[in-house]
Amino acid sequence: MNNITKHPLQALGYHFIDPKYLPEGVDEYYIRNQQNPRRNYRQLTAYEIETLVRNNNTSDNWNHILVDDAFDPGLVKNCHFYGLVRIGKLEPYYLEFHNLRLAVGLYNSTICSSDIGDNVVINQVNYLSHYIIGNEVILTNVDEMATTDYARFGNGILKQGEPESHRIWLEICNENGGRRVLPFEGMLPGDAYLWSRFRDDEVLMQKFMEFTSRAFDHRRGYYGEVGDRTVIKSCKIIKDTKIGSDAYIKGANKIKNITINSSADAPSQIGEGCELVNGIIGYGCRVFYGVKAVRFVMASHSSLKYGARLINSYLGNNATVSCCEVLNSLIFPAHEQHHNNSFLCAALVMGQSNMAAGATIGSNHNSRGADGEIIAGRGFWPGLCVSLKHNSRFATFTLIAKGNYPAEIDLRVPFSLLVHEESENRLKVMPGYWFRYNMYALARNAWKYQDRDQRAEKIQHLEYDFLAPDSVNEMLDALQLMAYATGKAYYNHMHTHVSDLQKEDYQKTGESLLKEKHPVLQQIEVLYEGLENSSRRNIFIKIAEGYQVFGEMIHYYGIKNLLPVIQRLAEEEDFSSIQQIFREACLEKWENVGGQLVPLRYREQLIQDIHSGKMNSWQALHQRYQEWGKQYEQEKQHHAAAALLALHACTAEDLHLDLLIQWLKKFVHIQQWIDEQIYLSRKKDYENPFRKMVYDHEKQMEKVLGKLEDNPFIIWSRQVSQAYQQQAAQILKKWETTSFHKS
């Protein structure tokens, strides 16, 4: 039975806060007055009351209608007022937005205990209760717009007297709730990652709860807010919602317990048919056309479109989910997911990712409980109709070919193509696929993500380059893995079973074979052990080519990041300082914390500081992110030096001028190869006869695709490449004519 209670009509609009939650000596408006400190209101004159009554307006008490001096009562018609209503200027203007023109004023609406800013349009709002409306706002054709005294606006907090069961959690990364986090306004991807990842650290979990609790007021009585110049039209229910300035909301079915951040520089928009419950929407977001989002956070400048479903998930900055479904996932920035049958469930996706049509990531439970997880590094790209199982883990920049992958996968080789060869009942891994066959897409995506990063406040420094400490560390580990696998395959092929062979022996033999591209590699099958939870014989393909390109790209990364400091010290003829950089270099682990790459020791120190109380708020944590960002380039340079030493198996003491000259010349050679690969991988699209067949002739193709030579990214990448080559040439010219001796 519905619990409908009756109250005296004269109480409508009053007693918003239960008396037991009111501090002594204050009235029910004390928080409202803090939210809207404007005080230049006056009571209505007898003439104004007479005009209002003549215009078919009613009020339970005209003394409770307060107005600005520039209030025109002729602009209020057919309205019913209850409780304390304060109205700003109403002047004879009309407001226009997107060809919608409406007269300033209050018309055909019921308004209950609200504050209304200057020159506002409120037209056909059936029920407006306990809201603070900004200046030049348009509200038209809204069924219900109300706020409760316990409104939390999407934040995972409790108001006075609320039971714990009322708290809103986001059950990200895992469907069983074991990694759940509390949503809050201003939550960054790094916050969600740290909170969800280290569940065994009970002190850290408790501290994060305290951070969230202290960040918000737990008193009852906050009003909903609508910022200046916001337009809301043709909506059904808006409840317990805080909306920033310059937002545009049209045709939404339901918006409940939501914060919509919006500003003049980064306006947010909500479109037709959307239903949003229990969430936070960041600045500059777009939510259009039948979207369903429940228990969610959208970071700034992210988009949900065309019937997308986002449930129990965090969507990172500059990401787009269109037509498809995302459940129980934590998604770092720059994620793309389109097409109506894409599905992402119980996953940690570390950004710069793209879900192709039909990809079902973790949709089938293959355990006795809903407790599986998928972890995918940066650049994750499952292809058409890929189906993956929990638990699985993928290295950075993994491309997965079409297919149903029947068992759990642990792919630790980055920049790889993973293929399910059903005819042979095995998986194949091609290391370095991206470098050798699609450098254009790899490089262009890095440029695209940087170009599209619209964040006004870049608290977390996001790395978009595909060559970065995380991917380079994985390549260094992959070199050892491939060498070991090759050595073991060689000994098995030669039927050599030596009982005292160690892992290092296999690895040393494999390195030799791979570096030489020994002909025997054409005869042996190199197994990738531990790739899949099965007994199948999964293999590497084109392993020698992958081994070589990994070495070249690590070398390129090292020199590229050291180039500015090498050039400066070369000008100063200070070779000893160059050596010192390498002496200080230490190859250490790095971690992707919400799209921000940091040395592992940074994150460990952060947790220590939280434990000790040195860091005691989300604001302080966000300041730490900014400090990390300022130190990133220097840390990356140290990592680049360490990666070079590790790749070439030498120490800083082995470094001499001739060796650095060789390294610089090799860098230039690799840069030229990258340029060629970018051009050739795009050129294939212009020469493939199956692509050309849809055009009557080449001129028509150029009109549709544009001329290859005019491609803006290719032009840009060549300019960058030339700058690097000129920089290296200047250093080489200086060194090859220098008078100072080798160290």
Side-chain angles (χ1 to χ4, degrees), residues 39-153:
R39 292 293 178 268
N40 60 333
Y41 296 111
R42 61 172 177 79
Q43 290 193 320
L44 295 168
T45 66
Y47 166 76
E48 288 170 334
I49 294 174
E50 181 183 351
T51 303
L52 289 169
V53 172
R54 189 167 58 246
N55 287 342
N56 200 32
N57 298 290
T58 66
S59 173
D60 66 294
N61 187 336
W62 290 112
N63 290 327
H64 291 171
I65 307 296
L66 305 181
V67 297
D68 185 270
D69 283 338
F71 170 77
D72 183 346
L75 302 179
V76 182
K77 298 177 181 179
N78 301 316
C79 289
H80 305 288
F81 297 98
Y82 298 93
L84 176 64
V85 177
R86 302 187 292 203
I87 306 171
K89 297 178 183 178
L90 290 183
E91 300 172 305
Y93 298 109
Y94 75 84
L95 303 184
E96 180 177 359
F97 180 78
H98 289 186
N99 210 38
L100 173 68
R101 300 181 178 95
L102 293 171
V104 163
L106 316 180
Y107 307 99
N108 308 303
S109 300
T110 297
I111 300 172
C112 181
S113 191
S114 294
D115 288 349
I116 298 165
D118 294 338
N119 292 319
V120 164
V121 174
I122 297 181
N123 181 43
Q124 298 286 356
V125 178
N126 291 336
Y127 183 63
L128 175 66
S129 173
H130 298 93
Y131 260 88
I132 297 173
I133 309 299
N135 301 322
E136 298 181 5
V137 167
I138 297 176
L139 305 179
T140 181
N141 291 321
V142 179
D143 286 352
E144 177 186 346
M145 192 167 173
T147 306
T148 61
D149 72 312
Y150 52 83
R152 301 180 293 274
F153 308 112

Side-chain angles (χ1 to χ4, degrees), residues 171-176 311-313 325-331 337 342-349 355 359-365 370-375 388-390:
E171 296 179 355
I172 59 176
C173 300
N174 195 309
E175 288 184 271
N176 71 354
I311 302 169
N312 266 314
S313 295
E325 188 168 24
V326 175
L327 306 176
N328 305 96
S329 292
L330 169 54
I331 301 173
Q337 184 172 347
S342 296
F343 185 96
L344 181 62
C345 182
L348 168 60
V349 182
M355 295 272 293
T360 53
I361 308 305
S363 61
N364 298 320
H365 297 301
D371 54 4
E373 301 181 25
I374 286 177
I375 300 176
L388 299 174
K389 302 294 186 291
H390 295 118

